[in-house]
Amino acid sequence: MTMTKEQFGRCERMEAAGGPKSQSEAMLYHQYKQQKQQLEDARQLGKEQFQSDILEKLLEVQQLERSIEKLQGQLQNERITLENMTGTLMLLGDEM
């Protein structure tokens, strides 16, 4: 059973006061501790998932950077080839 906000607040005050004082408070407090642990577990899992997502994106960015470097190298080679071809064409034009 999910606790209401009011019950949760009551248990937080109970915890601050040193714990439950009666049997009914003890049952509610036990449920509070269980739900509090479930929330903490969910937060931790969410944090771990977020860290995993960040790592995945970091690896993706690194792969893209390597791809860009490779493409820049290919572009530079094509420029050099084009310059050589243009130079050859000019030499051929001068001979005619």
Side-chain angles (χ1 to χ4, degrees), residues 45-63:
L45 182 62
K47 180 181 176 184
E48 290 169 359
Q49 182 61 48
F50 188 66
Q51 289 172 332
S52 176
D53 291 348
I54 288 172
L55 184 57
E56 187 177 319
K57 286 293 181 191
L58 177 63
L59 293 173
E60 185 179 336
V61 166
Q62 289 173 342
Q63 288 174 339

Side-chain angles (χ1 to χ4, degrees), residues 1 3-33 36:
M1 183 172 114
M3 295 175 63
T4 65
K5 213 174 204 181
E6 181 182 296
Q7 288 173 320
F8 213 80
R10 181 176 167 201
C11 288
E12 286 176 333
R13 289 188 299 277
M14 202 185 311
E15 187 173 43
K21 306 292 185 226
S22 69
Q23 179 83 19
S24 63
E25 284 183 345
M27 291 172 56
L28 184 63
Y29 186 72
H30 177 70
Q31 184 180 358
Y32 160 76
K33 292 297 267 183
K36 188 175 177 182

